[in-house]
Amino acid sequence: MYKNFALTIVLSLILFSCGKSGVVLPSATGTRYEILVVMDQTAWKAPGGRALVALLDQDMKAMPQAEPVLSIMYCQPKDFGDILKPSRNILITEINPRFEIPKITYGRNTWSQPQSIVKIEVASDSALTVLLKESGNKVLDYFLTTERNRQIEIGKNYINHKAKNEIETIFGIQVDIPSELTKVTKGKDFYWITNDHHHTRKDMVIYSYPYRDKNTFTKEYLIAKRDSFMKANIPGEFEGSYMGTELVHYQPILREINVNDTYCAELSGLWRMFNGGSMGGPFYSHTRVDEINQRVITVEGFVFAPGAKKRNHIRQLEAAIYTVKLPQEINAIKEVSVVADKKDTK
């Protein structure tokens, strides 16, 4: 009965509405990267339900301690009432033989705002397992992307405008630096800003160098450049110590992505202090080409929070990095509406 299953998955993007125009939705509840799963208890305990948990609860990559990509809350359909409906991220799964064609529906802002909702309809538990294997990452990416976009919007209200203007003067780029980052250190083609907090320290760095060729974007080259800039500009607390990339216990992850429809090398991994000191934590960076000035620009965020969770902090810096606009984007010709002059009337 599952012969045509893989060929008949339907993914539909449907915008949920509040039902009445002009209705003001309440603010979404819950914390960042928290998701409510609404599912029958029998299905929750079955292999398909366990596969769903494994998808959402998997360890976030490039972290020094295990932290899930999403924090799961669970309830049965009978308990999904007015208190839980405003949750910021909701995944509703319904298993019923009448759903002959598996379906994933994506929506937003049904019971609150900002809210992201995914509804999965399948005929059986085994159908759910197959669907998650084929399309689970799309579901996960939907929640992660909408959370990042929310963080970007929130961040617009908390920008260090002095730092943003200074960075544009030095590098010709724009980036929404979080207002909590205030302490600045500058070097040659290098800018470092931090909140300098003892318990949860968050830092961003920007550095640039000439663009040579496509080999610039190999993982080995990017790491070598990173280590060169960090060693020269970020010393440790002990003489001779410096920041570098952890390569023994964890290999950085390089992904080729598109940002603003242009190529971007995304690098994530762990950093630590060498030659003394025990500091370390996760880092995340984007490296792109400044086409106007033929330079490579890297914008990175890193976190130091010993004994504390780091997921939401590194995600916050990731969101800030996604706001970067390169010179060619800032100077792009915008569409201009031309209105013909009115003829003189006599």
PDB file of all heavy atoms in Angstrom, residues 310-326:
ATOM      1  N   LYS A 310      24.396  27.775  25.377  1.00  0.00           N
ATOM      2  CA  LYS A 310      24.935  28.743  24.419  1.00  0.00           C
ATOM      3  C   LYS A 310      24.120  28.849  23.134  1.00  0.00           C
ATOM      4  O   LYS A 310      24.363  29.740  22.323  1.00  0.00           O
ATOM      5  CB  LYS A 310      26.384  28.372  24.073  1.00  0.00           C
ATOM      6  CG  LYS A 310      27.277  28.259  25.305  1.00  0.00           C
ATOM      7  CD  LYS A 310      28.603  27.609  24.958  1.00  0.00           C
ATOM      8  CE  LYS A 310      29.460  27.399  26.199  1.00  0.00           C
ATOM      9  NZ  LYS A 310      28.857  26.478  27.183  1.00  0.00           N
ATOM     10  N   ARG A 311      23.175  27.946  22.946  1.00  0.00           N
ATOM     11  CA  ARG A 311      22.449  27.891  21.681  1.00  0.00           C
ATOM     12  C   ARG A 311      21.823  29.224  21.293  1.00  0.00           C
ATOM     13  O   ARG A 311      22.066  29.747  20.197  1.00  0.00           O
ATOM     14  CB  ARG A 311      21.348  26.827  21.755  1.00  0.00           C
ATOM     15  CG  ARG A 311      20.529  26.688  20.463  1.00  0.00           C
ATOM     16  CD  ARG A 311      19.302  25.826  20.684  1.00  0.00           C
ATOM     17  NE  ARG A 311      18.357  26.454  21.614  1.00  0.00           N
ATOM     18  CZ  ARG A 311      17.320  25.832  22.151  1.00  0.00           C
ATOM     19  NH1 ARG A 311      17.094  24.567  21.875  1.00  0.00           N
ATOM     20  NH2 ARG A 311      16.502  26.488  22.983  1.00  0.00           N
ATOM     21  N   ASN A 312      21.020  29.787  22.162  1.00  0.00           N
ATOM     22  CA  ASN A 312      20.299  31.006  21.806  1.00  0.00           C
ATOM     23  C   ASN A 312      21.235  32.195  21.610  1.00  0.00           C
ATOM     24  O   ASN A 312      20.944  33.103  20.826  1.00  0.00           O
ATOM     25  CB  ASN A 312      19.254  31.330  22.872  1.00  0.00           C
ATOM     26  CG  ASN A 312      18.086  30.358  22.844  1.00  0.00           C
ATOM     27  OD1 ASN A 312      18.102  29.365  22.117  1.00  0.00           O
ATOM     28  ND2 ASN A 312      17.069  30.624  23.640  1.00  0.00           N
ATOM     29  N   HIS A 313      22.375  32.183  22.296  1.00  0.00           N
ATOM     30  CA  HIS A 313      23.328  33.287  22.162  1.00  0.00           C
ATOM     31  C   HIS A 313      24.044  33.247  20.810  1.00  0.00           C
ATOM     32  O   HIS A 313      24.175  34.279  20.141  1.00  0.00           O
ATOM     33  CB  HIS A 313      24.343  33.249  23.305  1.00  0.00           C
ATOM     34  CG  HIS A 313      23.734  33.372  24.667  1.00  0.00           C
ATOM     35  ND1 HIS A 313      22.959  34.453  25.031  1.00  0.00           N
ATOM     36  CD2 HIS A 313      23.759  32.540  25.746  1.00  0.00           C
ATOM     37  CE1 HIS A 313      22.545  34.297  26.284  1.00  0.00           C
ATOM     38  NE2 HIS A 313      23.010  33.143  26.729  1.00  0.00           N
ATOM     39  N   ILE A 314      24.485  32.048  20.404  1.00  0.00           N
ATOM     40  CA  ILE A 314      25.157  31.969  19.104  1.00  0.00           C
ATOM     41  C   ILE A 314      24.147  32.167  17.975  1.00  0.00           C
ATOM     42  O   ILE A 314      24.465  32.739  16.931  1.00  0.00           O
ATOM     43  CB  ILE A 314      25.921  30.631  18.955  1.00  0.00           C
ATOM     44  CG1 ILE A 314      26.909  30.705  17.782  1.00  0.00           C
ATOM     45  CG2 ILE A 314      24.983  29.460  18.800  1.00  0.00           C
ATOM     46  CD1 ILE A 314      28.062  31.642  17.996  1.00  0.00           C
ATOM     47  N   ARG A 315      22.891  31.756  18.199  1.00  0.00           N
ATOM     48  CA  ARG A 315      21.854  31.997  17.194  1.00  0.00           C
ATOM     49  C   ARG A 315      21.563  33.488  17.042  1.00  0.00           C
ATOM     50  O   ARG A 315      21.256  33.975  15.950  1.00  0.00           O
ATOM     51  CB  ARG A 315      20.571  31.265  17.588  1.00  0.00           C
ATOM     52  CG  ARG A 315      20.615  29.745  17.475  1.00  0.00           C
ATOM     53  CD  ARG A 315      20.704  29.266  16.049  1.00  0.00           C
ATOM     54  NE  ARG A 315      20.378  27.842  15.929  1.00  0.00           N
ATOM     55  CZ  ARG A 315      20.576  27.118  14.847  1.00  0.00           C
ATOM     56  NH1 ARG A 315      21.112  27.676  13.783  1.00  0.00           N
ATOM     57  NH2 ARG A 315      20.245  25.835  14.804  1.00  0.00           N
ATOM     58  N   GLN A 316      21.654  34.224  18.145  1.00  0.00           N
ATOM     59  CA  GLN A 316      21.443  35.676  18.079  1.00  0.00           C
ATOM     60  C   GLN A 316      22.511  36.320  17.198  1.00  0.00           C
ATOM     61  O   GLN A 316      22.219  37.184  16.360  1.00  0.00           O
ATOM     62  CB  GLN A 316      21.485  36.287  19.476  1.00  0.00           C
ATOM     63  CG  GLN A 316      21.371  37.809  19.478  1.00  0.00           C
ATOM     64  CD  GLN A 316      21.814  38.453  20.782  1.00  0.00           C
ATOM     65  OE1 GLN A 316      22.360  37.777  21.656  1.00  0.00           O
ATOM     66  NE2 GLN A 316      21.590  39.745  20.906  1.00  0.00           N
ATOM     67  N   LEU A 317      23.764  35.915  17.390  1.00  0.00           N
ATOM     68  CA  LEU A 317      24.851  36.471  16.579  1.00  0.00           C
ATOM     69  C   LEU A 317      24.719  36.024  15.131  1.00  0.00           C
ATOM     70  O   LEU A 317      25.023  36.792  14.210  1.00  0.00           O
ATOM     71  CB  LEU A 317      26.195  36.048  17.164  1.00  0.00           C
ATOM     72  CG  LEU A 317      26.475  36.522  18.598  1.00  0.00           C
ATOM     73  CD1 LEU A 317      27.852  36.072  19.049  1.00  0.00           C
ATOM     74  CD2 LEU A 317      26.335  38.047  18.721  1.00  0.00           C
ATOM     75  N   GLU A 318      24.271  34.804  14.928  1.00  0.00           N
ATOM     76  CA  GLU A 318      24.023  34.315  13.565  1.00  0.00           C
ATOM     77  C   GLU A 318      23.013  35.211  12.855  1.00  0.00           C
ATOM     78  O   GLU A 318      23.199  35.579  11.688  1.00  0.00           O
ATOM     79  CB  GLU A 318      23.507  32.880  13.619  1.00  0.00           C
ATOM     80  CG  GLU A 318      23.075  32.319  12.279  1.00  0.00           C
ATOM     81  CD  GLU A 318      22.397  30.970  12.404  1.00  0.00           C
ATOM     82  OE1 GLU A 318      22.781  30.180  13.293  1.00  0.00           O
ATOM     83  OE2 GLU A 318      21.467  30.693  11.607  1.00  0.00           O
ATOM     84  N   ALA A 319      21.942  35.569  13.555  1.00  0.00           N
ATOM     85  CA  ALA A 319      20.933  36.448  12.964  1.00  0.00           C
ATOM     86  C   ALA A 319      21.534  37.794  12.593  1.00  0.00           C
ATOM     87  O   ALA A 319      21.231  38.346  11.526  1.00  0.00           O
ATOM     88  CB  ALA A 319      19.766  36.624  13.932  1.00  0.00           C
ATOM     89  N   ALA A 320      22.378  38.340  13.464  1.00  0.00           N
ATOM     90  CA  ALA A 320      23.025  39.618  13.163  1.00  0.00           C
ATOM     91  C   ALA A 320      23.894  39.503  11.919  1.00  0.00           C
ATOM     92  O   ALA A 320      23.936  40.415  11.080  1.00  0.00           O
ATOM     93  CB  ALA A 320      23.857  40.075  14.360  1.00  0.00           C
ATOM     94  N   ILE A 321      24.585  38.387  11.772  1.00  0.00           N
ATOM     95  CA  ILE A 321      25.462  38.179  10.617  1.00  0.00           C
ATOM     96  C   ILE A 321      24.658  38.140   9.323  1.00  0.00           C
ATOM     97  O   ILE A 321      25.108  38.599   8.272  1.00  0.00           O
ATOM     98  CB  ILE A 321      26.291  36.898  10.816  1.00  0.00           C
ATOM     99  CG1 ILE A 321      27.312  37.119  11.943  1.00  0.00           C
ATOM    100  CG2 ILE A 321      27.001  36.476   9.529  1.00  0.00           C
ATOM    101  CD1 ILE A 321      27.993  35.865  12.431  1.00  0.00           C
ATOM    102  N   TYR A 322      23.440  37.616   9.406  1.00  0.00           N
ATOM    103  CA  TYR A 322      22.580  37.568   8.220  1.00  0.00           C
ATOM    104  C   TYR A 322      22.124  38.949   7.763  1.00  0.00           C
ATOM    105  O   TYR A 322      21.564  39.090   6.665  1.00  0.00           O
ATOM    106  CB  TYR A 322      21.365  36.678   8.485  1.00  0.00           C
ATOM    107  CG  TYR A 322      21.539  35.259   7.999  1.00  0.00           C
ATOM    108  CD1 TYR A 322      22.056  34.270   8.834  1.00  0.00           C
ATOM    109  CD2 TYR A 322      21.184  34.887   6.699  1.00  0.00           C
ATOM    110  CE1 TYR A 322      22.218  32.962   8.405  1.00  0.00           C
ATOM    111  CE2 TYR A 322      21.339  33.593   6.249  1.00  0.00           C
ATOM    112  CZ  TYR A 322      21.857  32.630   7.106  1.00  0.00           C
ATOM    113  OH  TYR A 322      22.013  31.335   6.654  1.00  0.00           O
ATOM    114  N   THR A 323      22.321  39.979   8.562  1.00  0.00           N
ATOM    115  CA  THR A 323      21.920  41.338   8.159  1.00  0.00           C
ATOM    116  C   THR A 323      22.987  42.048   7.332  1.00  0.00           C
ATOM    117  O   THR A 323      22.759  43.172   6.877  1.00  0.00           O
ATOM    118  CB  THR A 323      21.606  42.213   9.392  1.00  0.00           C
ATOM    119  OG1 THR A 323      22.818  42.464  10.138  1.00  0.00           O
ATOM    120  CG2 THR A 323      20.580  41.539  10.299  1.00  0.00           C
ATOM    121  N   VAL A 324      24.136  41.417   7.138  1.00  0.00           N
ATOM    122  CA  VAL A 324      25.244  42.060   6.422  1.00  0.00           C
ATOM    123  C   VAL A 324      24.832  42.420   4.997  1.00  0.00           C
ATOM    124  O   VAL A 324      24.238  41.613   4.276  1.00  0.00           O
ATOM    125  CB  VAL A 324      26.478  41.143   6.391  1.00  0.00           C
ATOM    126  CG1 VAL A 324      27.536  41.697   5.420  1.00  0.00           C
ATOM    127  CG2 VAL A 324      27.078  41.006   7.783  1.00  0.00           C
ATOM    128  N   LYS A 325      25.163  43.644   4.615  1.00  0.00           N
ATOM    129  CA  LYS A 325      25.010  44.088   3.234  1.00  0.00           C
ATOM    130  C   LYS A 325      26.372  44.531   2.728  1.00  0.00           C
ATOM    131  O   LYS A 325      27.031  45.371   3.346  1.00  0.00           O
ATOM    132  CB  LYS A 325      24.012  45.250   3.138  1.00  0.00           C
ATOM    133  CG  LYS A 325      22.575  44.849   3.436  1.00  0.00           C
ATOM    134  CD  LYS A 325      21.636  46.032   3.255  1.00  0.00           C
ATOM    135  CE  LYS A 325      20.191  45.630   3.553  1.00  0.00           C
ATOM    136  NZ  LYS A 325      19.264  46.786   3.424  1.00  0.00           N
ATOM    137  N   LEU A 326      26.804  43.939   1.622  1.00  0.00           N
ATOM    138  CA  LEU A 326      28.093  44.274   1.028  1.00  0.00           C
ATOM    139  C   LEU A 326      27.981  45.536   0.174  1.00  0.00           C
ATOM    140  O   LEU A 326      26.866  45.968  -0.153  1.00  0.00           O
ATOM    141  CB  LEU A 326      28.582  43.098   0.185  1.00  0.00           C
ATOM    142  CG  LEU A 326      28.826  41.794   0.943  1.00  0.00           C
ATOM    143  CD1 LEU A 326      29.262  40.700  -0.019  1.00  0.00           C
ATOM    144  CD2 LEU A 326      29.863  41.979   2.042  1.00  0.00           C
TER     145      LEU A 326
END
